[in-house]
Amino acid sequence: DTYFNRHFRFDCDNPKWEQEEGNWRIDIGAKYRDPARYPIDFYLLTEDALSIVPVEALKDGVLPAAECSRWLAKNVTGSAEGGILPAEFAMRFSREDMVVGLPMT
């Protein structure tokens, strides 16, 4: 039984992650794997959905693919490659295309 800190959470919007052999592997340093000291929520935008995965669900940085559906954000579909995210998520998780010649803002 794992302690789950529901009062304070850290957000990780752009974690490095990859799918391998039926698992999602999130690149999290050993220092930050202690969920009691670093209760981190990982926001993963995949091809078709947004998942919010708490560090407590990981074992050595790995989440079995069979458990991925448990962490899907409700009513949020789409992707950075052309899907549509609701307005409350679009500013945080989508990326704008850079246009050559325009100033950066």
Side-chain angles (χ1 to χ4, degrees):
D1 200 28
T2 303
Y3 172 75
F4 193 85
N5 183 344
R6 296 185 183 273
H7 303 286
F8 178 77
R9 308 291 299 169
F10 293 109
D11 292 341
C12 185
D13 290 354
N14 296 305
K16 292 180 183 176
W17 66 279
E18 61 185 355
Q19 288 183 309
E20 60 177 33
E21 300 177 11
N23 296 313
W24 285 5
R25 177 174 297 282
I26 299 175
D27 184 15
I28 178 172
K31 174 182 174 181
Y32 300 105
R33 289 187 184 175
D34 180 0
R37 295 182 73 190
Y38 300 101
I40 303 170
D41 290 331
F42 296 97
Y43 290 73
L44 307 174
L45 185 60
T46 61
E47 305 85 40
D48 57 356
L50 175 67
S51 298
I52 305 172
V53 181
V55 70
E56 292 87 353
L58 306 175
K59 180 169 175 115
D60 294 325
V62 175
L63 178 71
E67 295 181 23
C68 293
S69 62
R70 182 176 183 192
W71 305 109
L72 289 175
K74 295 178 183 174
N75 303 320
V76 181
T77 58
S79 73
E81 289 75 39
I84 298 172
L85 292 172
E88 62 268 21
F89 292 101
M91 289 296 291
R92 186 168 182 180
F93 298 107
S94 62
R95 305 290 182 261
E96 292 184 9
D97 293 329
M98 296 299 294
V99 179
V100 177
L102 292 180
M104 294 178 63
T105 57

